[in-house]
């Protein structure tokens, strides 16, 4: 019977691993399906629930410049003041603590002698939740915020749950970054169309580069130059443009750069749009 128990255990473990693998594969598939992050969040939450139990899952994104955090998604808001769109100061919160961990943080406040909670968790405790799991959302070495699981079950989360959540967070972080870039591109295109200052027919190159060096927008003339280097919108840009963008954003004032392509020399004005974190590039 000992042997029987052992093999039962091994079977269970095997089954669990298969389920885990297929749910992770499904998460990966969903994430690559749609540019609409709200759709992705919904389906992601359903798949994640197959792997880890939670009463609510939240995605909280941080703005390090503003030192604020915003809940961008929540499945079943655990408490009214913690629904999507709610914005808080970042310092000293559970979110901030998780963002500063190597992977994440598990807390259990079911014992009366539990340490004093983070102030940001007090409303949850009042509502009867006691288990918290937070993992970092990291994309290209940048910590964007956290994925947070909340449960009313004492001791709901341990090392295994942390590992699973970290793997899931790794997948969704890429989708969040892509959705941001996509929204930024759409916004830029709309803005540029509205201003009609740089019609796409402009014979001179006009482009917009993010602080990370991604091409947010390029008119036809700029697209041709980029195309000759096998680059297009959404990708990282030419090293020369990227370098100028970084310098200009750091310095806060416009800059002129001369670049030669074959027989033609272009003079570029690189203009920072600091609060938006990108630069506009106008070529002549």
């Amino acid at each position: 019977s000992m042997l029987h128990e052992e093999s039962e255990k091994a079977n269970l473990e095997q089954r669990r691993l298969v389920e885990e693998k297929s749910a992770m594969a499904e998460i990966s598939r969903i994430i690559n399906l749609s540019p609409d992050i709200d759709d992705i969040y919904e389906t992601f939450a359903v798949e994640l629930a197959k792997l880890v139990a939670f009463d609510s899952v939240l995605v909280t994104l941080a703005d390090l410049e503003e030192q604020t955090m915003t809940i961008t998604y929540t499945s079943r808001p655990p408490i009214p003041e913690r629904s999507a769109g709610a914005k808080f100061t970042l310092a000293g919160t559970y979110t901030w603590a998780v963002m500063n961990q190597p992977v994440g943080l598990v807390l259990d406040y079911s014992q009366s002698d539990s340490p004093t909670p983070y102030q940001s968790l007090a409303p949850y405790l009042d509502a009867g939740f006691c288990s918290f799991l937070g993992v970092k959302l990291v994309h290209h070495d940048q910590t964007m915020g956290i994925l947070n699981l909340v449960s009313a079950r004492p001791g709901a989360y341990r090392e295994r749950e942390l590992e699973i959540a970290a793997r899931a967070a790794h997948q969704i972080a890429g989708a969040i970054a892509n959705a941001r870039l996509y929204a930024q591109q759409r916004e830029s295109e709309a803005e540029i169309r509205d201003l009609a200052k740089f019609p796409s027919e402009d014979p001179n190159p006009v482009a917009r580069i993010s602080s990370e060096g991604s091409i947010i927008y390029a008119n036809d003339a700029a697209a041709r130059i980029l195309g000759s280097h096998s680059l297009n919108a959404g990708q990282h840009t030419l090293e020369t443009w990227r370098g100028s963008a970084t310098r200009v954003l750091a310095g806060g004032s416009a800059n002129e750069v001369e670049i030669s392509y074959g027989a033609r020399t272009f003079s570029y004005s690189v203009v920072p749009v600091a609060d938006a974190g990108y630069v506009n590039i106008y070529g002549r």
Side-chain angles (χ1 to χ4, degrees):
S1 99
M2 276 280 280
L3 268 176
H4 178 69
E5 254 173 56
E6 284 299 313
S7 80
E8 270 294 284
K9 229 188 225 163
N11 277 341
L12 262 173
E13 183 62 17
Q14 194 57 39
R15 261 211 310 280
R16 191 172 67 68
L17 286 173
V18 168
E19 277 165 20
E20 223 165 274
K21 214 168 181 168
S22 79
M24 280 296 171
E26 187 55 20
I27 284 173
S28 172
R29 194 183 71 81
I30 292 158
I31 279 168
N32 293 314
L33 272 186
S34 161
D36 184 345
I37 194 70
D38 295 323
D39 288 354
I40 291 175
Y41 282 144
E42 286 301 330
T43 349
F44 172 77
V46 171
E47 289 305 314
L48 187 60
K50 295 176 184 172
L51 296 173
V52 192
F54 52 78
D55 289 315
S56 183
V57 58
L58 301 94
V59 172
T60 304
L61 298 182
D63 182 325
L64 294 179
E65 269 179 39
E66 265 191 26
Q67 280 296 302
T68 56
M69 58 184 191
T70 306
I71 297 172
T72 53
Y73 170 77
T74 165
S75 69
R76 290 195 303 278
I79 42 181
E81 62 267 44
R82 292 292 191 276
S83 44
K87 192 174 181 175
F88 307 93
T89 305
L90 186 58
T93 60
Y94 175 63
T95 298
W96 181 238
V98 172
M99 285 175 71
N100 286 290
Q101 297 293 322
V103 177
L105 192 58
V106 168
L107 296 177
D108 175 17
Y109 291 116
S110 55
Q111 308 303 317
S112 54
D113 58 355
S114 292
T116 321
Y118 293 90
Q119 210 36 58
S120 59
L121 295 182
Y124 291 98
L125 299 179
D126 295 343
F129 297 101
C130 58
S131 291
F132 303 90
L133 182 161
V135 283
K136 294 199 297 189
L137 291 166
V138 182
H139 184 68
H140 287 335
D141 293 336
Q142 279 196 317
T143 303
M144 301 186 291
I146 77 165
L147 176 71
N148 189 7
L149 308 187
V150 179
S151 174
R153 196 163 56 83
Y157 305 121
R158 295 200 166 80
E159 197 58 40
R160 176 185 163 258
E161 288 76 17
L162 189 69
E163 268 172 38
I164 290 171
R167 278 164 55 203
H170 175 69
Q171 303 249 27
I172 194 107
I176 294 168
N178 287 342
R180 273 179 166 179
L181 186 64
Y182 180 72
Q184 220 180 15
Q185 282 171 351
R186 294 286 296 271
E187 210 174 282
S188 286
E189 283 162 17
E191 191 183 313
I192 285 172
R193 271 198 308 275
D194 290 350
L195 291 172
K197 272 186 192 158
F198 346 118
S200 56
E201 297 77 43
D202 189 331
N204 294 319
V206 177
R208 177 167 281 183
I209 312 287
S210 79
S211 55
E212 286 89 47
S214 300
I215 303 154
I216 299 170
Y217 169 85
N219 74 348
D220 293 347
R224 276 197 297 279
I225 291 172
L226 291 164
S228 68
H229 293 267
S230 312
L231 293 168
N232 49 40
Q235 295 178 317
H236 277 315
T237 179
L238 301 171
E239 200 50 63
T240 11
W241 284 7
R242 187 155 71 222
S244 312
T246 313
R247 277 195 304 280
V248 161
L249 277 169
S253 55
N255 203 341
E256 294 289 322
V257 186
E258 293 223 325
I259 305 176
S260 297
Y261 293 102
R264 301 171 75 191
T265 297
F266 279 99
S267 169
Y268 288 101
S269 299
V270 184
V271 183
V273 185
D275 45 347
Y278 53 67
V279 298
N280 289 336
I281 295 179
Y282 311 102
R284 289 185 302 290

